[in-house]
Amino acid sequence: MIKKFILHLKEPTYSGSYIQFKNYVNDITLVIWGNSDIVKQPNKSLKLLALCVLALTSLTSNAYYDSNTKQTLFRVGSLFPQEKNSPPVAQFSTDKTHYRIGEPIEYLDLSYDPELDGIHSSWEGKEKAYFTPGDHVVTLIVKDDKGGISKPYSKTIKVDQEVFTSQEQYPFYFGALTGDPNSVPVDLEDFEKYPILMPTENIPKNRKLIVSNDPEIFADYGLLYKERITGKARLYATHVNGMKKEAQISVLATNPTQSPVKIHITHKGEVEPSKFPGLLGNEALVQWFANGKTNEDLVINPGESIIYYQSPVLTPEQGIHIIQDIEVEGGVVFSFISADPKKELTISELKPFPRKRDVRGTYDTSEFQWIIDAKQAKGKPWRLVIGNDSQWVPGIDALSGSMEKNVGNYGIFYNITIFHPGKAAIAIVPRGGSVKGPLLMNNKITLVPSSGVVTPGTAYIIGRTTGNEEQIQFTTCPPSGSSLPYDIFFYPLDDRK
């Protein structure tokens, strides 16, 4: 019966969002919406409809009744063959046909898809440079968004015997061979053989440093540190809530004199509460360098105490970090307090914490000024150490009266000028543990690293000089939450052609 049933179709006519066909004999209409094909038969039986469908496509699916149009609809597979996907085409070129050992290779991916589908490249044998002579085959295959796969496309890279750079030299000239181009693997044992250049040092004593960081993790409410300040000072505080309840870090400023006193704030860096110590130190310094300059004044009347700073409420394991440069006209007592956020702040009821293993104290300086002439290195790699034992600044714990050292030199800014740097790659190399913190290089903020942390065994490249600079300048401060020491490393470069 199916073989005897023949439909004579007219040319399709377009109406709205569907295509309509009619036959001469039975007036059956085929209606096609988008990707769905529907056979529509107002006046014929479902049996005859099924025969028509089978005759046209040999494919059937569910018939159903459309209550809105009161018509029987029969959904079928596509009445027309789907257009076949054309596979993408893989191809690429290189900037040269022959290379020297360690010479950078520039690849240009020329792949395309005939139907303009998105494509994804997969390489085999591709390297930024090769360090053995001979023939190196590179193959490219691309896949389009519809699953079409190209034929493999291969080229042979010929590498001659002549050496352009060694595997050690290449990353300092052109970036790491894999991963982050600024992260260069180094062997610390070999690295520490490079000479250390000693700076000419000046230590200004025009701004005291007040550090409240012990206990860094507090386990109760209490007095963390207290000091009277006159003149210029830097406030530096880092504390973490070690309790299983909420807490708040406050700084109380008290005028013990008979006259009004003024606090002038010139610079600050603060961070929102976080459970990650490395983030606290990094973000406070980022804010300091990027947006830290300010011009704020506070006046405190005789005998008055004000809440000079108050953190957001800290949940367990959250911490805060603040850095501020201030100038006090008169005398002000600053009290650093871990307090119950649900109670009124009263310093008289708070007991001072005993000294533990972290850093707190008052120090005569907040800055190192270093000058180095790189000509001493005689064109060889060299390094500058930030944060070794010989650099710790001495001071006094105002709560106990004991002599202390600022182990880590937290809050100390190193202002470094290097004359005759030559052409060089400059990197930060941690040796005591992970490092995360910004610095200024020629007054431009450089994030170290751009994301994550720099670990020992990595030289993180922060820039390259051209060889035309008379001098370059750095400002760095050991970040809270990072480990010391770390080195600023200079790797001389030449004009390779």
Side-chain angles (χ1 to χ4, degrees), residues 18-319:
Y18 59 86
I19 305 172
Q20 192 173 69
F21 295 86
K22 291 186 178 180
N23 73 72
Y24 293 118
V25 180
N26 296 306
D27 194 28
I28 294 175
T29 302
L30 307 180
V31 184
I32 304 170
W33 282 272
N35 294 325
S36 299
D37 301 342
I38 297 178
V39 178
K40 173 178 166 185
Q41 187 217 22
N43 303 314
K44 304 295 180 181
S45 69
L46 185 59
K47 182 177 180 180
L48 179 58
L49 173 63
L51 291 175
C52 294
V53 170
L54 287 171
L56 286 167
T57 67
S58 299
L59 295 171
T60 63
S61 61
N62 297 326
Y64 62 94
Y65 180 74
D66 188 337
S67 60
N68 294 323
T69 62
K70 298 182 179 179
Q71 296 172 348
T72 301
L73 303 176
F74 199 86
R75 190 180 301 278
V76 300
S78 176
L79 297 176
F80 305 99
Q82 291 186 348
E83 189 174 328
K84 186 178 179 180
N85 179 41
S86 297
V89 177
Q91 57 185 17
F92 68 92
S93 67
T94 55
D95 57 324
K96 297 170 61 175
T97 57
H98 286 70
Y99 294 87
R100 292 165 287 180
I101 291 173
E103 184 175 6
I105 301 171
E106 294 182 14
Y107 297 88
L108 180 61
D109 192 337
L110 301 171
S111 305
Y112 67 94
D113 186 88
E115 297 168 351
L116 298 179
D117 294 326
I119 57 175
H120 311 277
S121 298
S122 177
W123 297 83
E124 183 178 334
K126 179 186 178 185
E127 300 289 348
K128 294 180 179 179
Y130 295 94
F131 296 92
T132 55
D135 293 346
H136 300 268
V137 178
V138 179
T139 300
L140 173 62
I141 297 175
V142 292
K143 183 177 181 179
D144 68 22
D145 290 339
K146 295 176 182 175
I149 300 175
S150 71
K151 294 179 181 179
Y153 182 86
S154 299
K155 286 178 73 76
T156 298
I157 308 296
K158 295 185 179 295
V159 179
D160 301 328
Q161 295 281 350
E162 183 183 351
V163 176
F164 185 68
T165 63
S166 68
Q167 205 157 355
E168 176 197 310
Q169 294 168 332
Y170 182 94
F172 292 102
Y173 279 88
F174 307 109
L177 290 161
T178 59
D180 183 346
N182 292 323
S183 296
V184 179
V186 294
D187 183 290
L188 276 183
E189 186 175 344
D190 291 338
F191 174 79
E192 290 177 349
K193 295 176 183 177
Y194 289 123
I196 298 170
L197 295 193
M198 301 305 295
T200 300
E201 182 176 79
N202 179 45
I203 302 178
K205 296 187 176 181
N206 61 339
R207 184 183 297 277
K208 290 185 179 294
L209 173 63
I210 315 300
V211 178
S212 178
N213 181 229
D214 188 10
E216 181 174 348
I217 302 174
F218 57 86
D220 200 356
Y221 302 128
L223 179 62
L224 297 162
Y225 195 60
K226 183 178 180 180
E227 180 61 285
R228 178 169 176 160
I229 298 173
T230 299
K232 293 182 178 181
R234 175 170 297 146
L235 308 180
Y236 187 98
T238 304
H239 293 287
V240 176
N241 181 7
M243 300 186 290
K244 294 184 178 179
K245 53 187 176 181
E246 293 180 339
Q248 205 163 22
I249 298 297
S250 296
V251 179
L252 204 66
T254 302
N255 178 4
T257 72
Q258 301 300 312
S259 304
V261 296
K262 184 169 75 171
I263 303 172
H264 182 50
I265 307 168
T266 60
H267 216 133
K268 61 183 180 181
E270 300 174 5
V271 61
E272 290 297 308
S274 173
K275 293 183 178 181
F276 302 99
L279 182 143
L280 290 172
N282 177 74
E283 291 303 321
L285 284 173
V286 168
Q287 292 302 315
W288 177 277
F289 287 134
N291 304 302
K293 290 184 179 180
T294 186
N295 186 16
E296 304 173 36
D297 288 321
L298 293 173
V299 175
I300 307 176
N301 292 320
E304 183 183 17
S305 292
I306 65 168
I307 298 176
Y308 174 80
Y309 165 85
Q310 190 167 54
S311 75
V313 173
L314 304 179
T315 59
E317 299 182 11
Q318 280 191 328

Side-chain angles (χ1 to χ4, degrees), residues 470-481:
E470 183 65 25
Q471 65 180 50
I472 55 174
Q473 294 180 322
F474 297 95
T475 299
T476 184
C477 177
S480 171

Side-chain angles (χ1 to χ4, degrees), residues 7 22 28 38 100 173 335 337 353 399 470 482 487:
L7 287 176
K22 291 186 178 180
I28 294 175
I38 297 178
R100 292 165 287 180
Y173 279 88
S335 303
I337 300 164
F353 285 97
L399 291 180
E470 183 65 25
S482 291
D487 294 352

Side-chain angles (χ1 to χ4, degrees), residues 359-370:
V359 178
R360 78 181 184 196
T362 301
Y363 306 92
D364 285 340
T365 185
S366 57
E367 179 186 4
F368 281 4
Q369 295 174 353
W370 286 359

